[in-house]
Amino acid sequence: MRTRFIYGCIFLAGLIWALSPACRKGDASIRSGQDAPEPYELILPTGWPVPVYDFSQNSLTKQGIALGRYLFYDQRLSKDSTVSCGFCHQQFAAFGHFDHSLSHGIEGRIGTRTVPTLFNLIWKRSFMWDGGVNNLEIQPLTPITDPNEMGQDLGTLVRNLQSDAGYRLRFKAAFGTEEVTSQRIFRALTQFMATMVSFNSKYDSVMRQAPGVQFTLEEQHGYEIFQQKCAACHKEPLFSDFSYRNNGLSKIPALNDIGRMKITNNASDYMKFGVPSLRNVLKSSPYMHDGRFFDIYLVFDHYDRGIVENASQDPALRTTLDPLLKNGLPLNVAEKRALYFFLNTLTDPGLINNPSLSEILIR
Amino acid sequence: MLYRSVCIPRIIFLPAMLLVIFAACSKQKKTTIITEQNATLQLNISHVVGARPLSLSGVSYQNEVGEAYTISAFKYYIGNVTLYYPDEKSVTVADTYFLVSEDSAASKKIIINGLPAGNFSRLSFRIGVDSARNNSGAQSGALDPVYGMFWTWNSGYIMAKVEGNSPVSMQPDHQLQFHIGGYVGAQNVVRTVMLDVPGLVLRSNEANGVSLVADVSKWFSGPDPVSFKTLSSWMTPGPVSVMMADKYKRMFSVVKVGNQ
């Protein structure tokens, strides 16, 4: 009897909340009640590669994406409710962490690598700077459970969300029943992350030959330099070939990061890290896997004359520098300036100003 | 723990209910076409260390090189249970995954419904999780990462896990931690166990059982027995995982065929 009363109250509260226009403005996640989740069509640019992510088990729906967005910005995903995904992945910084070289998490803890940007993830085969995570769906498991990031126990998280009436409604709207499972959490987050797409920069307009849009002379010059010196690894149109390479950074002893070798146990992967996309690069400082460069000109300088070949005393590990960088990438002052103007055309308001990706305030 | 009281029975139940569909879809070469499938096989697994029953509460055992140790956790995945008829045709329960854990009595009774009646001579199963499930994204049921059997930093399942303590271990608090996994190429630690089950008869509408024992001491026994002085912890894919998998694939034996 008592239980029925409580459920009745929860239902009534839910009903009032659902019917209150002020609360549900722009939020499709729980409005639909008994209805099946509504399909969402992700429009992708023509001529791009087929996405790597397999949507067949996780079709996009408005309610699924909305749940993912809610989870992404909910601090309760962390152990002490202080850190959300969006805390480190800031939209205005292309979902990287503005002004922080190393990622940080609960209780002031600091990690060993910089926060990666988040966009065009459905084209990526592997994740993390060392490629240790093999599927977009399972990627959130790492930051959620890492003691230096959100520090939460997965089982505890599932139970917490299951005991929250609001979440039960959101899971029902997205997946048909109120049951919360880790698989549903991951799939909803993946649905939201799948909508973080970036292909509406000035560069894209130029490539599409949109009427009235063209590179300035300096941007055009920068594009030519880019094609000559950068495009082999930062491959168009995604501006990364998603490979792992040693780009000649000196080793920081305090971090002692061996890169992809940690994943493969293979000495040939010593100090190799994922090639990041250059899209939105001017918005996503600092740079490199450890965020050591706060200014894009420092990156230019690194490729121009900062390449370190022998990053290790161990002879077996000395030869992993990418052959393309053996002689550095000489860049004069004018070329750096032109490159800067070209990279500026890769800033995408369709990502960083997209209102459907923006933070929602929870509680 | 929620995991002990609620989830384990469901893990076993769900795949069992889906068995009919999966068995019918299975396209293995030697698989018999199943017409009547209402027999039940129950695998009863018990865990021992050498001649003694496994206890997680501090009982001291000794390895082959004379070092004392205790066990505090013992878990592993099995799946792909296959029954062989005397003529070598077989029936495979495909796409099913069971997480067996010493601390869960329910997990040690694996019930497989919907099997064909018949006489069988051998039984095989896989220890671990097949490569496809290691890289297909978020999984559910027994494969839910909530059970702590999935590596977060280097995606893939911990196929089998032993934790404990040994005074000779150089780890903090003299811990022993063996988390064995790896599914790519030469790092693949998935192993198949083949056991004789002479006289196993399954009849319609009747449960029949096979009692198995898994001996934890086999993880550390010869050839090249493990000394906890030099190897007390391993938690990545690679050669040591492969070596341990080759050892623990010998841990199962059949103690009884037939009804309990």
Side-chain angles (χ1 to χ4, degrees):
Chain A
M1 196 64 199
R2 190 184 155 85
T3 332
R4 266 171 65 184
F5 175 72
I6 292 167
Y7 278 125
C9 288
I10 293 169
F11 175 71
L12 206 64
L15 199 69
I16 291 165
W17 193 85
L19 293 174
S20 154
C23 295
R24 64 181 170 84
K25 195 178 170 190
D27 183 355
S29 68
I30 54 175
R31 191 173 58 223
S32 54
Q34 301 294 316
D35 301 339
E38 304 155 70
Y40 176 91
E41 194 192 351
L42 186 63
I43 312 283
L44 300 178
T46 51
W48 277 39
V50 176
V52 171
Y53 180 68
D54 175 11
F55 286 98
S56 68
Q57 304 301 308
N58 190 25
S59 309
L60 296 183
T61 64
K62 289 177 184 171
Q63 289 78 8
I65 293 165
L67 171 60
R69 183 181 178 191
Y70 198 88
L71 289 163
F72 189 86
Y73 287 115
D74 192 345
Q75 299 178 331
R76 288 173 294 177
L77 262 64
S78 62
K79 185 182 183 180
D80 59 2
S81 295
T82 57
V83 175
S84 67
C85 308
F87 174 81
C88 282
H89 296 285
Q90 300 167 321
Q91 187 183 14
F92 68 88
F95 295 99
H97 202 173
F98 176 72
D99 206 31
H100 284 270
S101 52
L102 298 175
S103 65
H104 64 108
I106 59 166
E107 296 168 6
R109 293 179 197 158
I110 296 178
T112 57
R113 292 174 183 161
T114 204
V115 175
T117 51
L118 304 183
F119 53 81
N120 297 347
L121 299 169
I122 55 177
W123 284 279
K124 283 195 78 168
R125 277 181 198 288
S126 49
F127 302 86
M128 308 292 281
W129 283 103
D130 55 22
V133 172
N134 64 17
N135 191 297
L136 178 56
E137 280 181 16
I138 211 73
Q139 167 58 43
L141 176 64
T142 306
I144 288 172
T145 57
D146 189 317
N148 288 326
E149 299 186 47
M150 297 163 90
Q152 180 61 294
D153 171 71
L154 190 60
T156 306
L157 175 63
V158 170
R159 285 191 293 277
N160 288 352
L161 299 187
Q162 187 71 73
S163 65
D164 182 283
Y167 266 115
R168 286 199 298 272
L169 288 174
R170 290 169 191 280
F171 275 83
K172 185 173 185 192
F175 296 110
T177 68
E178 292 188 348
E179 191 191 6
V180 178
T181 64
S182 75
Q183 187 181 50
R184 285 179 168 187
I185 294 171
F186 292 137
R187 286 187 171 172
L189 281 167
T190 300
Q191 289 197 33
F192 178 54
M193 290 190 290
T195 67
M196 294 174 174
V197 283
S198 179
F199 42 74
N200 286 306
S201 63
K202 179 175 181 182
Y203 160 85
D204 296 296
S205 299
V206 172
M207 292 299 132
R208 274 199 299 269
Q209 297 178 320
V213 187
Q214 51 193 346
F215 284 142
T216 64
L217 281 177
E218 212 154 21
E219 287 165 356
Q220 179 62 36
H221 184 210
Y223 184 40
E224 283 154 19
I225 295 162
F226 160 81
Q227 286 181 306
Q228 213 177 44
K229 301 192 172 174
C230 319
C233 306
H234 297 285
K235 193 179 161 200
E236 296 171 80
L238 289 151
F239 286 86
S240 172
D241 64 353
F242 301 128
S243 63
Y244 296 85
R245 296 170 188 262
N246 177 348
N247 66 341
L249 293 165
S250 61
K251 192 162 186 173
I252 295 178
L255 296 174
N256 193 28
D257 197 337
I258 60 171
R260 186 157 173 75
M261 184 177 161
K262 185 181 168 191
I263 302 303
T264 61
N265 295 326
N266 192 333
S268 68
D269 286 325
Y270 177 67
M271 282 192 78
K272 287 187 180 175
F273 296 91
V275 175
S277 172
L278 295 184
R279 287 178 170 273
N280 305 292
V281 67
L282 293 188
K283 294 289 176 188
S284 56
S285 154
Y287 306 108
M288 303 297 152
H289 65 275
D290 51 18
R292 69 176 68 186
F293 300 136
F294 275 70
D295 190 294
I296 196 72
Y297 278 86
L298 295 173
V299 178
F300 298 156
D301 291 346
H302 167 72
Y303 286 114
D304 177 21
R305 54 189 153 77
I307 302 282
V308 179
E309 186 158 10
N310 295 323
S312 169
Q313 298 302 310
D314 182 345
L317 305 177
R318 282 172 75 159
T319 53
T320 62
L321 175 68
D322 202 276
L324 292 167
L325 296 174
K326 216 168 61 184
N327 303 314
L329 300 175
L331 292 162
N332 64 34
V333 172
E335 287 171 327
K336 288 174 188 172
R337 183 182 151 88
L339 209 44
Y340 173 89
F341 279 107
F342 168 67
L343 293 180
N344 193 44
T345 71
L346 296 177
T347 297
D348 181 2
L351 178 80
I352 59 180
N353 298 337
N354 183 345
S356 61
L357 301 176
S358 66
E359 177 153 17
I360 38 179
L361 292 175
I362 295 172
R363 283 188 179 172
Chain B
M1 268 158 62
L2 179 71
Y3 151 100
R4 258 186 288 190
S5 57
V6 181
C7 290
I8 285 287
R10 220 186 55 215
I11 290 163
I12 293 160
F13 244 78
L14 262 178
M17 288 192 296
L18 293 171
L19 169 69
V20 178
I21 301 161
F22 287 128
C25 294
S26 170
K27 281 180 185 160
Q28 293 221 347
K29 253 187 190 167
K30 285 181 174 174
T31 301
T32 305
I33 294 163
I34 299 164
T35 47
E36 210 183 321
Q37 37 201 19
N38 48 7
T40 296
L41 172 69
Q42 182 171 331
L43 298 176
N44 300 299
I45 305 176
S46 54
H47 297 150
V48 301
V49 184
R52 301 158 69 189
L54 172 61
S55 161
L56 300 182
S57 33
V59 173
S60 183
Y61 307 102
Q62 215 169 55
N63 68 10
E64 278 194 10
V65 295
E67 297 158 348
Y69 68 100
T70 60
I71 300 290
S72 55
F74 179 47
K75 299 180 188 197
Y76 52 88
Y77 280 107
I78 72 171
N80 219 44
V81 175
T82 302
L83 287 171
Y84 292 83
Y85 295 94
D87 65 2
E88 288 302 292
K89 284 179 180 164
S90 63
V91 177
T92 296
V93 188
D95 210 19
T96 49
Y97 304 87
F98 305 98
L99 176 56
V100 182
S101 179
E102 169 57 20
D103 67 0
S104 162
S107 78
K108 291 182 277 181
K109 287 195 196 308
I110 293 175
I111 296 163
I112 301 171
N113 293 312
L115 286 166
N119 299 311
F120 299 93
S121 58
R122 290 194 298 159
L123 161 76
S124 78
F125 53 85
R126 175 186 61 213
I127 311 177
V129 176
D130 55 299
S131 67
R133 293 282 177 173
N134 278 270
N135 61 11
S136 313
Q139 303 295 316
S140 59
L143 299 179
D144 192 324
V146 80
Y147 299 118
M149 294 290 278
F150 191 86
W151 278 314
T152 61
W153 57 279
N154 188 357
S155 301
Y157 282 93
I158 298 169
M159 313 289 191
K161 174 191 275 190
V162 166
E163 292 175 359
N165 209 275
S166 172
V168 300
S169 160
M170 302 300 278
Q171 305 299 329
D173 293 334
H174 305 293
Q175 288 175 73
L176 299 179
Q177 284 197 1
F178 296 98
H179 297 179
I180 306 307
Y183 66 94
V184 182
Q187 298 186 341
N188 193 337
V189 297
V190 171
R191 295 292 181 270
T192 298
V193 177
M194 181 71 80
L195 299 166
D196 287 331
V197 284
L200 175 65
V201 183
L202 297 186
R203 292 188 188 86
S204 294
N205 302 315
E206 200 179 294
N208 211 338
V210 172
S211 295
L212 303 173
V213 65
D215 181 356
V216 185
S217 76
K218 289 287 199 292
W219 283 56
F220 315 118
S221 67
D224 294 326
V226 171
S227 163
F228 300 136
K229 273 184 199 138
T230 50
L231 180 63
S232 50
S233 167
W234 189 264
M235 290 178 279
T236 63
V240 175
S241 270
V242 169
M243 183 266 289
M244 298 296 284
D246 287 336
K247 287 186 181 299
Y248 68 59
K249 78 174 181 190
R250 303 169 297 136
M251 71 179 167
F252 287 98
S253 52
V254 176
V255 288
K256 191 182 173 198
V257 177
N259 274 325
Q260 288 70 47

